[in-house]
Amino acid sequence: MATWAASAPTTSPPPHLDSLCQGGIKLSRCYANSPVCSPSRAALLTGKHPAHAGVEQILGGSRRTPGLPPQDTLATLLRERGYRTGLFGKWHLGAAEEFAPTRYGFEEVFGFRAGCVDYYSHIFSWGGHDPVHDLWDGEEEVWRNGEYLTTAIGQRASDFITRHAGGDLFFCFVPFNARHYPMHAPAEHMERVAHLPPGRRETGAMIAALDDAVGEILAALDAAGAREGTIVLFSSDNGPSRESRNRLGGEEISYEGGSSGGLRGAKGSLFEGGIRVPGILSWPTGLPSGVESEQVGLMMDVLPTFLHAADGVAPDLPERDEVSLLDVLKDPGATVPERTVAWAYGGQVAVRRGRFKIVSDVRAGMDPPAVVERALYDLEADPREEFDVFVREAEVMRALGEELEGYWRRIAEWGRAAAVP
């Protein structure tokens, strides 16, 4: 798994990401497993719901911060199959040494362990502790002050591909922090998007830099002759931030520069805007190109889908919560049995089955209060979740309400299991 691409100046959408979408599969119903970062990436790497994986909240950044409980990850499982494994970018699943990504199957690591850092000094400064420098090469702390982090991450990922794509099986996980706050972008990228209004300009510049870095990654695959046979996935942890920690012009102010594409809610919310995320999947020799899939998929489905592709058969993973989507992605006309998917975060819960989604105590973003106590939405007719249809669909409301309560019980069971010595 890698990311995307870019390079030439543009006033249109990022050229290489756009090209990747046109030449791959647009995942129009792609969801994160959480509306915030740490639980979302825990689900991706373990194939489990966040509570089952053991990470339900955003993790801190002090060097004593614990993280993902010891368990197999996609990296360990692929490494058992002979893959070389590398992680380049944001870890955010434990900043303490014993929770470093090298303990979870990654042979080669370059990046940071906390949630967000300054893009040039690589210092983490959130939370109730002194600022912490946070840049690592393997388990060795390194200082590269002044280097723009998005560019450095792309270079290291490309180098890993260059060294391994010629003859090795490889898994290259590139969790860029762009476009996470703080809103930093090089001058040359700001110039490329000078036509955008203030606020949007910072977002556009950061995405342009990300696009360039992905372009370098895809160019490395092309140069090694590995592009056709490599699965490339691009997605996101969660929806856009509305937090007042973005540090525009030296101030901590609320930032409205991100877009959820018109969906309700943002980061921290279980409305669609907080969890429905961009998704592109490309595998030229194994999947169709230039198509759109409306199959509902979660980030925790990545693990079984990738293992299915690696092994040629769907994996038997009874301890996990996901499903492989490989067969349905190979045939855009195929269907899979209707599936219930669920999310929980910060007292909110949501359950989707088919076209309907029930929500409970859902808020608009990161902070309380809840703006909807309980409601039922028809996502096919009302993707913006504006109209509660519980009166019209009383039986659907009853059935999904039971599934919602069952999901809460499962979360409690996972918590009790985790507490057992």
Side-chain angles (χ1 to χ4, degrees), residues 143-154:
W143 283 262
R144 297 174 63 169
N145 189 44
E147 292 190 37
Y148 188 61
L149 192 52
T150 301
T151 302
I153 289 169

Side-chain angles (χ1 to χ4, degrees), residues 187-239:
E188 61 267 29
H189 293 93
M190 291 290 285
E191 291 170 2
R192 284 169 59 178
V193 295
H195 61 289
L196 296 176
R200 293 290 295 170
R201 188 175 304 151
E202 287 81 3
T203 291
M206 295 175 79
I207 292 174
L210 167 65
D211 196 60
D212 281 352
V214 174
E216 188 168 356
I217 290 169
L218 294 183
L221 287 172
D222 285 333
R227 177 67 185 92
E228 295 293 305
T230 298
I231 301 175
V232 179
L233 171 68
F234 180 90
S235 191
S236 178
D237 280 348
N238 46 252

